[in-house]
Amino acid sequence: MKPVFLFFLISCSIYGQSEYPKDYFRHPLDITLVLSGTFGELRSTHFHGGLDIKTQQREGLKVYAAAEGYISRIKISHFGYGKAIYITHPNGYTTVYGHLQKFSERLENYIKQCQYDKESFEVEVFPHSEELKIHPNEVIAYSGNTGSSGGPHLHFEIRDNQERPINPLLFGMDVKDSKRPYVSGVFAYPKDENATINGKNERVPLRLIPQKNGDYAVEEIKAFGHIGFGVISFDKQDLAPNNNGVSNIQTFFNGNKSLEIDFKRISFDETKHIKRLLDYQYFISRKAKIQKLFIEQNNPLSIYKDVYDDGYVKVEDSTSSVYKVRIRDFSQNESWVMIPIVGKHEVIEKDSIQDRSNKSLVRNDENTKLSAGNFTVDFYKNTVYDDSYIDFKVSSDTLFLGEDAIAMQKNFYINYDLSNYKTEHQDKLYVARFYGSYKKPYYVPTSRKGNTLTARTKALGTYALATDTEPPSITPINFHDKKWISNYRYLKVKIDDKLTGISKYRATVNGKWILMEYDYKKNTLIHDFNDNIVKDTKNELKIIVTDNVGNSSTFEATFFRK
């Protein structure tokens, strides 16, 4: 009986680990749960790691701890989650609350002390388990719009003990959703040069035909060889008009399952590889996200299961087949797409064969260096997902790297040799990328070592050497020199830099550092006099702002307070 009992215990343990506690975590707001973003939703550079909860277009709503625990991390940054709190709970999970306006009083006092100690608005601290204990239903913060938020909302995550985000809806949180996912596009792809779709060896858009029952059909296609498919799909919920992400996609070929994509848990290590799920070239050119329903080489994503032949299907000449796609949201509403296929071996049209002459080959499995003029470009091993042919041309101080149509796993490096470059503003040089309808220059993170200027980027395109000699601007908003501001709670200043952007800033009053919160979306610095740092009647304010090539501006003014 011992082995049987042991097996029973192991089975129970495994089963228990697969269950998520349904009544452990509460909704972090006291309003109806309405989402502007779902878990696993496709963003331009990553999978969304939590829920974006609407806050009725307002800031300042009370944010409650989802359960008891202790604060294990507080991070304040200009970008990303802005002001964020991380709570570790006794059951091993961690909840995350992002884009906060401010913290509760005791947490605000704690983090401001850290900011003043480090003389920095941006801080990250990791309190020990006994330092900041959190009680059930405790108000920990107020909702806001800080960081890279596009509008007021609360970003909420639940992570396991390996810091992997898990869909919070798995824990019993309820969202009203009775609507089926909808599909706005279907595409077919050849796996190799031997495959054809409607006489072409390239991505082919298919005509989508909505059915009366809410499903979709596609006009019959003629194909041959190994092919794959892709869809553009969204989910809409009852109380919000947003185009949210779906929860699960399954594909079937002649009744047999080909592949499943399940957006249940996504680790941070793999989220950057969303470019392998999406059709990157189509996204860059059309701003629409095709989800590829097949797996190409060098795809490390763990969202796939029940995969047969990497999700591709083999179509033989003179055969009839049916490919189906089932798309579901978290509430199990589903929509089907049916694609009838007739096997026909056709001659490939000449204009569909790619011209690779005059292009440079960048390999996935080795380093590649491209050089011309004063430019060299380094693609290190595993920068590209596939061996890729890239346009490469240099004209004077301009580098042409074709169009941004090839997904990169990591940065490549553009180097410019300044040995023979003479200018009176040598220390103000940087590498700029030119894109957009007006080909406006945008700063690319640039460093200099000796006579070599190096920029790192993940996007192909047009780059050039540029100069920034213009310092940042500093403009007071709610005061002027020698003004009495006794009744003001805040001191507000606008800062801006038009070419390379703000790198750092420092503000002091009477020689003492003061905290000024930087909102890059509004280009403002704000000091709260309730910090009780400014105590004198006459006060000398000094603000120094520096851009990304080292240009600095200094603003000085006197103000008075009783």
Side-chain angles (χ1 to χ4, degrees):
M1 293 297 292
K2 204 171 191 179
V4 175
F5 180 69
L6 182 60
F7 173 77
F8 175 78
L9 286 178
I10 294 173
S11 299
C12 288
S13 176
I14 293 172
Y15 177 78
Q17 289 175 4
S18 68
E19 290 287 294
Y20 298 98
K22 295 294 191 293
D23 299 315
Y24 191 89
F25 295 114
R26 61 155 289 170
H27 175 11
L29 299 172
D30 54 11
I31 58 175
T32 301
L33 184 60
V34 181
L35 303 181
S36 60
T38 51
F39 182 85
E41 192 169 277
L42 310 180
R43 302 294 169 89
S44 57
T45 60
H46 62 282
F47 296 96
H48 190 228
L51 303 179
D52 282 347
I53 305 174
K54 286 177 174 284
T55 55
Q56 303 172 340
Q57 300 180 336
R58 295 185 291 156
E59 296 185 43
L61 274 62
K62 292 179 179 179
V63 177
Y64 296 88
E68 68 175 328
Y70 69 93
I71 292 183
S72 52
R73 182 184 181 191
I74 302 176
K75 184 175 182 179
I76 297 178
S77 56
H78 298 144
F79 307 103
Y81 292 168
K83 295 183 179 182
I85 289 176
Y86 300 70
I87 301 177
T88 297
H89 304 279
N91 63 355
Y93 292 101
T94 296
T95 51
V96 183
Y97 314 76
H99 306 307
L100 302 170
Q101 179 193 64
K102 61 181 180 179
F103 306 120
S104 65
E105 185 176 0
R106 75 175 176 118
L107 300 184
E108 191 78 9
N109 292 337
Y110 176 91
I111 200 64
K112 280 200 172 183
Q113 185 61 56
C114 296
Q115 290 173 310
Y116 275 98
D117 289 345
K118 297 182 179 182
E119 295 191 354
S120 174
F121 169 63
E122 291 193 300
V123 292
E124 184 174 18
V125 295
F126 299 88
H128 59 72
S129 59
E130 299 297 318
E131 198 168 357
L132 294 174
K133 288 189 173 182
I134 298 297
H135 305 294
N137 300 314
E138 180 175 343
V139 175
I140 56 171
Y142 298 86
S143 67
N145 187 29
T146 57
S148 301
S149 170
H153 72 276
L154 175 68
H155 176 86
F156 177 69
E157 292 180 19
I158 298 179
R159 301 180 183 180
D160 64 15
N161 57 11
Q162 297 180 51
E163 282 292 301
R164 295 175 300 185
I166 302 171
N167 190 345
L169 297 182
L170 289 165
F171 294 81
M173 296 183 185
D174 186 41
V175 176
K176 190 174 183 181
D177 185 2
S178 60
K179 297 182 179 181
R180 288 176 161 205
Y182 75 93
V183 179
S184 62
V186 180
F187 303 80
Y189 293 78
K191 181 180 181 181
D192 51 42
E193 65 275 7
N194 299 315
T196 61
I197 302 151
N198 291 341
K200 296 184 178 181
N201 183 245
E202 60 187 25
R203 177 188 61 225
V204 176
L206 307 180
R207 191 167 80 87
L208 195 62
I209 308 170
Q211 305 294 290
K212 291 182 179 180
N213 65 355
D215 290 329
Y216 302 84
V218 168
E219 195 171 56
E220 181 181 87
I221 67 171
K222 297 179 177 63
F224 177 79
H226 284 87
I227 64 173
F229 293 89
V231 296
I232 301 175
S233 60
F234 303 98
D235 182 47
K236 283 188 180 294
Q237 296 168 353
D238 292 5
L239 302 178
N242 303 73
N243 291 330
N244 291 331
V246 302
S247 183
N248 184 278
I249 302 177
Q250 298 176 355
T251 65
F252 304 86
F253 184 57
N254 292 333
N256 298 313
K257 193 173 185 181
S258 293
L259 170 143
E260 182 174 352
I261 303 174
D262 190 33
F263 299 100
K264 181 183 294 183
R265 181 176 63 196
I266 300 169
S267 73
F268 287 107
D269 291 339
E270 61 181 301
T271 190
K272 63 182 179 182
H273 295 292
I274 188 174
K275 295 176 182 179
R276 214 49 176 157
L277 171 69
L278 298 180
D279 183 327
Y280 183 77
Q281 186 275 333
Y282 194 88
F283 169 66
I284 293 297
S285 62
R286 304 289 187 88
K287 305 305 177 188
K289 301 180 179 75
I290 301 174
Q291 301 167 80
K292 293 183 287 190
L293 307 179
F294 51 91
I295 304 174
E296 298 164 296
Q297 66 176 359
N298 300 317
N299 183 337
L301 295 173
S302 62
I303 57 177
Y304 305 101
K305 61 183 181 180
D306 298 338
V307 178
Y308 178 77
D309 199 14
D310 291 328
Y312 291 99
V313 299
K314 184 178 181 181
V315 181
E316 297 181 344
D317 198 16
S318 303
T319 61
S320 294
S321 306
V322 176
Y323 182 89
K324 291 184 177 182
V325 185
R326 177 163 64 185
I327 303 168
R328 291 186 290 186
D329 61 26
F330 186 82
S331 299
Q332 301 304 302
N333 302 303
E334 65 181 38
S335 297
W336 286 83
V337 181
M338 185 180 74
I339 306 172
I341 307 169
V342 173
K344 186 174 182 180
H345 195 180
E346 297 182 281
V347 177
I348 299 174
E349 296 177 6
K350 289 184 179 180
D351 62 359
S352 69
I353 300 175
Q354 294 184 12
D355 180 11
R356 292 172 173 171
S357 61
N358 300 319
K359 291 189 176 184
S360 300
L361 176 61
V362 176
R363 296 191 178 278
N364 160 267
D365 60 354
E366 62 183 48
N367 297 340
T368 302
K369 183 184 291 289
L370 306 179
S371 299
N374 292 321
F375 281 102
T376 62
V377 184
D378 289 313
F379 296 89
Y380 295 110
K381 183 178 178 180
N382 295 324
T383 296
V384 292
Y385 287 98
D386 305 298
D387 293 351
S388 302
Y389 287 89
I390 292 176
D391 289 314
F392 175 72
K393 185 175 67 173
V394 172
S395 176
S396 186
D397 294 333
T398 303
L399 168 67
F400 301 94
L401 285 172
E403 299 295 328
D404 181 19
I406 299 173
M408 302 288 162
Q409 295 194 60
K410 56 186 181 182
N411 289 318
F412 61 90
Y413 297 86
I414 299 171
N415 307 291
Y416 189 94
D417 184 2
L418 296 169
S419 299
N420 299 315
Y421 191 92
K422 303 301 179 185
T423 175
E424 60 177 314
H425 303 296
Q426 192 92 352
D427 60 335
K428 306 303 180 186
L429 294 170
Y430 68 98
V431 175
R433 182 184 176 211
F434 291 77
Y435 66 97
S437 56
Y438 297 102
K439 296 300 180 184
K440 179 182 176 182
Y442 290 85
Y443 172 77
V444 179
T446 305
S447 60
R448 180 172 177 175
K449 187 175 183 180
N451 286 322
T452 301
L453 209 61
T454 300
R456 67 182 191 276
T457 179
K458 287 184 178 180
L460 299 177
T462 301
Y463 294 84
L465 202 62
T467 304
D468 178 8
T469 59
E470 185 179 342
S473 62
I474 308 173
T475 308
I477 295 176
N478 64 341
F479 70 99
H480 55 74
D481 191 29
K482 296 183 171 57
K483 182 175 181 178
W484 282 87
I485 53 175
S486 302
N487 296 325
Y488 288 21
R489 176 173 173 178
Y490 298 104
L491 186 73
K492 300 180 180 181
V493 175
K494 181 180 179 66
I495 63 173
D496 195 16
D497 188 80
K498 300 191 181 302
L499 289 178
T500 57
I502 304 297
S503 171
K504 59 184 178 180
Y505 67 91
R506 180 178 177 84
T508 59
V509 170
N510 300 330
K512 182 182 294 186
W513 185 85
I514 62 168
L515 173 64
M516 297 199 81
E517 297 199 2
Y518 176 43
D519 184 342
Y520 78 94
K521 295 191 285 280
K522 297 179 180 178
N523 294 320
T524 56
L525 294 177
I526 299 178
H527 173 70
D528 186 349
F529 285 120
N530 283 358
D531 288 357
N532 202 29
I533 299 299
V534 178
K535 299 178 180 179
D536 297 331
T537 300
K538 182 179 180 180
N539 298 280
E540 303 294 338
L541 171 67
K542 184 176 183 179
I543 302 174
I544 302 173
V545 181
T546 307
D547 67 18
N548 276 296
V549 296
N551 297 306
S552 290
S553 294
T554 300
F555 172 85
E556 295 182 281
T558 301
F559 65 86
F560 300 90
R561 284 176 63 84
K562 288 184 179 178

